[in-house]
Amino acid sequence: MKKIRLLLVLVLVLSTMVVGCKSSEKESTTSKKDDVTITLFQSKVEITEQLEKLAKEYSEMTDGVTLEVWGAPGGGYHTQLQAKLVNGQGPTIMSAIGKDAEVISDYLYDLSNEDFVKYIAPGTAVMNGEKLIGVPYGVEGYGFVYNSSLVNPDEVTDLASFETKLNELKDSGVQPISLSSESYFLIGHILNIPFALQDDPAAFVEGLNDKTKTMSGDPLFEEWAKFMEVIRKDGTKPLEIKYDVQTGDFATGKTAMIHQGNWCYGMFKDYDVNFDMSILPMPVNGNDKISVGIPNAWAINAGASEEEIKAATDFFNWLFTSERGQEYIIDEFGFIPAMTNMKTESLDPLGKAIAEYTADGKTLPWVFKSWPSGIVKNDFLSVAQKFFADENMNGSDLLAELDKAWANATK
């Protein structure tokens, strides 16, 4: 009888062990279900490798969170983003600011209650009414990036001195200045200058929209157009120059100045750059300020699952508050932070220049953010291409064509 009881106890124990094993398998399966993948759809080609490195590092350090980086093949980031969102295939994290953010505002998660937002520099958070919907990448600025061994910025203060300097450089065998053929690098950024120098840039934009203003005949635009004539005459042929060639020629000392921003410093890492550099303004009407703004912001897809949104906000909190996250933003991405909790001693030369202009209040707003969506690529680019291809087209003709392009743009 004792043997029978012992046998029954043994069977019971074995049964419990089997159930326990099944239970463990179930727990393991549940853990797998708790794993979450968040996707970051990014628009800045300059930091593609750095973002992928960050994604790998973050995925390895977190428990069950995988961060994937999506690129925008072929450009047209916002067109691709809208298509993904409409089709229910949107990323967890995306770029959104200005008019583009307004278009997709229903998809943007309200970040107002997250801890890290208290560090966003005043006036730089991306808002939609009372909702905080975007965290700025950082502050960026642009102007004429110059080789300090070839250009003394004190000698370039107006149209006449600008043309004199280009002629001197040309006579010395150096390419004086270079634009590149991409839409914003050819016309978008540089056209911002006469807009930003208006007494009331927003009112000027509204004036163009309601046809009470034109670029033609405006003194600031007329002088800007003369700068463009000089750049066409003395600079490289921009329609034959891509961004990587433009920055490569500058890094190797072939070109003295390029119209670019602090973001291009990352393009110099493959070169043995042995000269100092900084940024000088386009001195339209004696202007001594450069264009500085918030280039873009990261936002979270409100249509993502609750688990994805939680993982994405945790990632933001790590990125914007941890020492390693800050190293990525400043040292790896080369961003000038728009967060008050970050140190800037390690910024590259162009980043420091932007920081100094900002500290001195010598900044112009990025008015192009208020232009009709898509106008640079869809309407202005062809005008600029025509101007640089046809030397018979003067600055006044350029302004007249830009006015037509604005009138025809989708608003």
Side-chain angles (χ1 to χ4, degrees):
M1 188 64 183
K2 282 184 179 181
K3 288 183 179 179
I4 293 175
R5 285 178 179 174
L6 182 60
L7 183 60
L8 288 173
V9 170
L10 184 58
V11 169
L12 182 60
V13 170
L14 288 172
S15 300
T16 303
M17 290 176 63
V18 170
V19 171
C21 289
K22 289 182 176 178
S23 177
S24 296
E25 289 174 1
K26 185 178 181 181
E27 285 175 7
S28 176
T29 303
T30 302
S31 177
K32 285 288 182 186
K33 287 180 178 177
D34 288 339
D35 290 353
V36 60
T37 296
I38 54 175
T39 52
L40 190 159
F41 186 35
Q42 76 104 2
S43 59
K44 289 186 73 65
V45 65
E46 295 90 348
I47 62 169
T48 298
E49 291 183 7
Q50 296 92 325
L51 268 176
E52 290 174 348
K53 177 183 172 184
L54 177 151
K56 183 174 185 295
E57 181 174 332
Y58 187 76
S59 298
E60 290 175 351
M61 66 177 281
T62 51
D63 184 17
V65 177
T66 299
L67 174 61
E68 292 182 356
V69 177
W70 294 352
Y77 175 85
H78 288 286
T79 301
Q80 294 185 40
L81 176 60
Q82 288 178 50
K84 290 176 186 294
L85 291 170
V86 169
N87 292 325
Q89 299 173 338
T92 320
I93 299 170
M94 52 200 165
S95 299
I97 198 169
K99 294 278 186 182
D100 295 317
E102 291 179 14
V103 172
I104 60 170
S105 59
D106 289 344
Y107 295 94
L108 302 180
Y109 180 73
D110 184 3
L111 297 164
S112 302
N113 296 321
E114 302 300 327
D115 285 345
F116 59 84
V117 302
K118 63 187 176 188
Y119 297 118
I120 298 176
T124 63
V126 179
M127 306 296 293
N128 180 19
E130 297 297 318
K131 295 180 179 179
L132 195 162
I133 56 171
V135 185
Y137 284 6
V139 175
E140 288 192 338
Y142 64 83
F144 292 124
V145 176
Y146 66 91
N147 180 331
S148 300
S149 67
L150 298 172
V151 177
N152 178 353
D154 294 335
E155 296 176 352
V156 184
T157 57
D158 55 22
L159 178 61
S161 59
F162 178 72
E163 185 170 15
T164 298
K165 175 54 66 178
L166 296 198
N167 287 330
E168 289 176 0
L169 291 165
K170 199 172 185 178
D171 291 344
S172 70
V174 176
Q175 293 179 165
I177 194 165
S178 177
L179 307 184
S180 66
S181 59
E182 295 82 359
S183 57
Y184 270 90
F185 297 161
L186 184 67
I187 187 66
H189 286 160
I190 204 165
L191 181 57
N192 180 72
I193 306 301
F195 277 90
L197 289 172
Q198 299 291 324
D199 291 336
D200 188 341
F204 191 86
V205 169
E206 286 305 310
L208 290 177
N209 287 337
D210 63 21
K211 300 181 180 179
T212 59
K213 297 282 187 183
T214 60
M215 292 179 249
S216 296
D218 179 272
L220 292 168
F221 280 90
E222 292 288 347
E223 180 163 316
W224 171 85
K226 292 177 181 175
F227 272 90
M228 296 299 283
E229 290 179 354
V230 172
I231 291 171
R232 182 181 62 185
K233 175 172 67 71
D234 295 326
T236 55
K237 296 183 182 301
L239 304 186
E240 301 173 2
I241 303 291
K242 293 291 186 182
Y243 177 41
D244 57 341
V245 174
Q246 180 202 30
T247 51
D249 285 351
F250 178 80
T252 54
K254 291 174 62 178
T255 306
M257 289 189 282
I258 57 176
H259 196 260
Q260 277 296 346
N262 58 286
W263 53 78
C264 75
Y265 194 81
M267 302 292 282
F268 303 150
K269 290 182 177 178
D270 293 335
Y271 299 90
D272 184 19
V273 177
N274 57 3
F275 55 84
D276 293 331
M277 67 182 74
S278 190
I279 302 178
L280 64 87
M282 187 178 194
V284 174
N285 197 34
N287 168 55
D288 63 352
K289 301 175 181 177
I290 63 171
S291 299
V292 173
I294 303 167
N296 219 322
W298 275 314
I300 292 176
N301 184 356
S305 70
E306 185 178 339
E307 292 78 13
E308 289 172 349
I309 290 174
K310 175 65 167 58
T313 56
D314 286 347
F315 168 66
F316 276 7
N317 190 58
W318 173 84
L319 182 65
F320 298 124
T321 65
S322 74
E323 183 176 350
R324 186 62 180 138
Q326 294 179 31
E327 286 176 358
Y328 265 104
I329 290 174
I330 297 173
D331 301 327
E332 300 277 352
F333 301 160
F335 290 168
I336 305 167
M339 309 293 282
T340 59
N341 59 325
M342 297 187 185
K343 299 176 182 178
T344 58
E345 291 86 351
S346 60
L347 288 174
D348 62 56
L350 300 184
K352 287 180 180 176
I354 302 299
E356 290 172 3
Y357 276 103
T358 303
D360 293 340
K362 292 186 174 182
T363 61
L364 297 173
W366 286 12
V367 186
F368 60 80
K369 292 291 185 182
S370 63
W371 296 350
S373 181
I375 191 172
V376 174
K377 183 176 181 179
N378 300 330
D379 303 281
F380 286 164
L381 178 59
S382 59
V383 175
Q385 289 171 334
K386 182 179 178 183
F387 172 75
F388 281 106
D390 182 3
E391 294 187 357
N392 293 318
M393 183 177 175
N394 62 28
S396 295
D397 296 332
L398 172 62
L399 294 179
E401 292 289 330
L402 290 172
D403 277 324
K404 290 180 184 176
W406 189 287
N408 293 330
T410 302
K411 303 179 182 66

